[in-house]
Amino acid sequence: MEAEFHTVSEIAQHDPRPKATGVGDLAFGSLAGMMGKFVEYPFDTVKVRLQTSESQVFSGTLDCLKQTWRNEGFRGFYRGLTSPLVGAMAENAIAFYAYNRIQGAIRSATGARPEDSLSLPQLFLSG
């Protein structure tokens, strides 16, 4: 049995792994932003209500949670979510895209392969 030798470009043409695309970065970044905002938003709602209400409206955080649930239900914790949700989706999509593009540029500049790990300073530089 003889050994076969191929050039890098021949191997790259037959590489079965999917190529990284900016569309994937944007999609997954948007999804990450959306999920993060859904988790964080009820806490932010309670915080803002405590900060902006008269001192006698709520006796504390638990009271604010109870009153919001009793008076407005589940939806009360997510009132006004649309604008922050769109912003979080855009912010995270751009962050994911930029992070992966900068990593690609560092790999190209250093001659590293896509599967090679970057050093800690290179990761810091990526964002």
Side-chain angles (χ1 to χ4, degrees), residues 25-26 28-34 37 40 83-99:
D25 294 335
L26 294 173
F28 288 118
S30 293
L31 184 62
M34 185 180 355
K37 190 53 69 177
E40 175 264 336
S83 180
L85 183 65
V86 171
M89 290 171 67
E91 176 185 350
N92 280 280
I94 292 167
F96 274 48
Y97 180 82
Y99 181 70

